[in-house]
Amino acid sequence: MTRAPLLLAITWLVACLSVLFAGLAVRLAPIEKAFAWPTVEIFPPAAVWTGPAALGLAVVAVLLLLVLTGTAREGNRARPFAELIVFFPVFFAFLWILLPTGPLGTREWFIGVILALAAVWLARHCPGPIPGPRWSATPVARIIDGILVLSPVALGLTLGHSPDIKASGFSLLLYPVYAFIQLLVFLYIPVTRLRTMGVSNANSTLLTALVFSLVHWPNPLVMLVTLMGMLIWAHQFQNGRPLWQLAIIMALTATTFSQFLPDDLTQHVRVGPAYVRSEATLHLAEQAVGAVQADPATFIRQIYPDTMGRQVNEQELKLWLELLAEARRSTWAQIFLVSSEHRNRMKISGNPLPPKPEYHWTDWPPEWKNQILQFAGDEYWFSSGSGLEGYANSLYRDILGRKPSAQELASWGTTLSIGQRKRIAEVLLVLRLENGQRDFTGMSVEKFRLSN
């Protein structure tokens, strides 16, 4: 079969894509699925067809494997094909099924280390040298390098965006190492296997670039840029350009792209589940208007179907409102404690100053954290009259040592801030991922970490 190498390479691509879509289907909430694929009005909602699409891709991948099993065993194709068809789908499963959007747990660290060791082994056991001439930097190659690195600078300046010089410096210092690792895993490992299998230079370049672009799903701009970049770098690598040179160009390009372009355009260069989670929570927070902003119960009822895939029951709603009431009291207490008025009061009296405002109170030293818990607790709430006005009066008295003006009291409204609505949506999405659709049974105010 003359096209057997290309069909095997396509099987590798389909296997990666099928695992990615399986992750979208099993991991994401309905609202997240809407942001895991570019919105096209003529298509049904993504929540409807993501599952069938994942199943269809899996069936195609299995059929290709069954049909091409004999072909894969011919010659020296078996080992490189097996390495590609195992390592990269497992990587996509880790990225889209196991990897959390927050800090890594012990399980994720363990699997991540295993994948890293596997990548090192694959890189050290290269099937053979890449055929190609000795690299010589031509004027065309230098022009291409310049376009990759300087295009984001030109576009950013045109849009009036000012880069963060400090962040740019750190990126230039650290990113070359990260770029080399990326190229080792997503360029060197696949291209060496594809070429050993008999895949042509052009097809190896295209398929490697497509898989590298899929790693950055579903951020459309980042996917496009990584696709174009890898098309160039894979072609140059197969024509003899050293990986270290490509790593430098990749690092410079990534730095100018991330630092010189506005975040609204690049979406903070987020990809994967973190990108989907960020877009979904922002959408849920911004769609709330009027009474929904002011009434936590209405907001929770509104977002439950999109996050949990069902309606909230009354017992759950009661627990949410109790948690939210205590959490909002903790944010009020934090605002009072970190206020300039309170800091000046502590400074004049010679008492220890409160922590800096940028730190969430759950990260404060125990003595300050305990103050927040005391002010947010039910006992203090009931002693202040169980009303927001009485509670605010008590905070002015006990923290600032004075009575508030009528204007100051009026400024403490009941509307949920956009940051608080985002946090509620985020917690619901995390709970769905961890517990499925089981009923909410409560949470500590410290774990909830409601923002100000």
Side-chain angles (χ1 to χ4, degrees):
M1 187 184 294
T2 58
R3 294 193 174 274
L6 177 58
L7 290 175
L8 289 172
I10 292 174
T11 302
W12 168 57
L13 174 64
V14 174
C16 292
L17 194 57
S18 67
V19 174
L20 188 156
F21 266 69
L24 302 183
V26 303
R27 174 189 181 131
L28 301 184
I31 188 63
E32 291 178 299
K33 290 176 182 176
F35 292 95
W37 185 264
T39 302
V40 181
E41 295 297 333
I42 62 174
F43 290 161
V48 174
W49 57 263
T50 301
L55 180 60
L57 284 167
V59 169
V60 171
V62 170
L63 289 177
L64 285 171
L65 284 171
L66 291 175
V67 171
L68 297 172
T69 297
T71 303
R73 294 173 179 171
E74 296 176 0
N76 59 351
R77 299 170 184 162
R79 176 178 163 181
F81 178 67
E83 290 171 344
L84 290 178
I85 208 69
V86 171
F87 177 79
F88 286 93
V90 169
F91 172 82
F92 277 99
F94 175 71
L95 179 64
W96 276 100
I97 298 177
L98 294 178
L99 192 66
T101 56
L104 296 181
T106 303
R107 180 188 65 175
E108 290 77 26
W109 272 112
F110 178 77
I111 298 175
V113 169
I114 296 298
L115 283 172
L117 292 174
V120 170
W121 189 90
L122 290 172
R124 286 178 59 86
H125 293 79
C126 176
I130 298 296
R134 182 178 178 84
W135 175 258
S136 178
T138 64
V140 173
R142 292 191 180 97
I143 291 173
I144 292 174
D145 289 346
I147 291 174
L148 287 173
V149 175
L150 297 178
S151 292
V153 177
L155 180 58
L157 294 176
T158 301
L159 296 174
H161 179 70
S162 299
D164 185 329
I165 302 301
K166 184 177 180 180
S168 300
F170 275 115
S171 181
L172 288 172
L173 181 65
L174 301 176
Y175 207 95
V177 175
Y178 181 50
F180 186 82
I181 294 172
Q182 288 189 79
L183 291 172
L184 201 64
V185 176
F186 300 108
L187 171 58
Y188 182 75
I189 290 175
V191 165
T192 53
R193 272 71 186 172
L194 291 172
R195 295 305 304 271
T196 301
M197 289 161 53
V199 182
S200 67
N201 183 321
N203 288 330
S204 295
T205 296
L206 176 60
L207 288 163
T208 299
L210 286 171
V211 170
F212 187 57
S213 179
L214 289 179
V215 173
H216 299 86
W217 185 290
N219 188 322
L221 181 60
V222 177
M223 288 183 67
L224 176 62
V225 170
T226 52
L227 174 66
M228 295 172 58
M230 188 56 81
L231 284 172
I232 295 168
W233 299 326
H235 174 73
Q236 291 180 345
F237 174 67
Q238 293 181 85
N239 282 278
R241 191 166 194 181
L243 271 183
W244 67 266
Q245 288 188 18
L246 295 174
I248 292 175
I249 297 302
M250 183 179 182
L252 292 172
T253 303
T255 298
T256 57
F257 179 83
S258 61
Q259 302 301 326
F260 281 82
L261 294 180
D263 290 335
D264 289 343
L265 184 63
T266 65
Q267 302 298 323
H268 300 273
V269 202
R270 281 188 293 255
V271 298
Y275 170 88
V276 174
R277 175 68 53 79
S278 174
E279 292 297 298
T281 54
L282 180 62
H283 171 77
L284 291 172
E286 289 184 338
Q287 74 172 358
V289 295
V292 179
Q293 293 179 351
D295 182 15
T298 304
F299 178 67
I300 291 172
R301 285 194 182 96
Q302 183 186 68
I303 69 172
Y304 233 75
D306 284 333
T307 54
M308 299 296 286
R310 60 177 177 82
Q311 299 292 334
V312 62
N313 63 53
E314 290 305 312
Q315 179 59 29
E316 288 179 298
L317 183 60
K318 179 183 177 183
L319 292 173
W320 274 113
L321 294 180
E322 290 173 353
L323 171 62
L324 190 54
E326 184 180 0
R328 294 179 77 188
R329 295 197 296 267
S330 72
T331 65
W332 282 28
Q334 179 177 0
I335 291 171
F336 273 87
L337 288 173
V338 301
S339 67
S340 57
E341 183 177 351
H342 182 248
R343 292 182 70 88
N344 291 335
R345 191 164 180 252
M346 293 295 99
K347 188 175 181 180
I348 292 172
S349 63
N351 290 318
L353 296 180
K356 294 181 179 179
E358 55 264 29
Y359 294 110
H360 194 272
W361 69 266
T362 53
D363 299 321
W364 286 5
E367 61 273 17
W368 288 97
K369 185 189 296 186
N370 290 336
Q371 286 193 49
I372 293 286
L373 292 173
Q374 179 184 350
F375 286 125
D378 288 340
E379 184 178 347
Y380 188 84
W381 168 253
F382 290 126
S383 68
S384 66
S386 303
L388 291 178
E389 183 174 336
Y391 181 67
N393 266 309
S394 296
L395 292 178
Y396 274 103
R397 180 195 66 213
D398 296 333
I399 297 178
L400 301 184
R402 65 176 178 86
K403 291 183 177 181
S405 66
Q407 185 177 3
E408 285 176 319
L409 275 180
S411 67
W412 297 94
T414 60
T415 301
L416 291 168
S417 70
I418 188 170
Q420 291 173 338
R421 296 196 297 272
K422 284 181 64 177
R423 180 57 185 164
I424 295 169
E426 181 182 24
V427 170
L428 278 168
L429 291 171
V430 170
L431 288 175
R432 179 196 171 277
L433 185 60
E434 293 178 350
N435 304 323
Q437 293 186 328
R438 285 182 290 178
D439 287 359
F440 176 66
T441 57
M443 176 186 293
S444 71
V445 69
E446 293 179 77
K447 185 177 180 181
F448 189 39
R449 287 181 65 96
L450 188 68
S451 60
N452 291 335

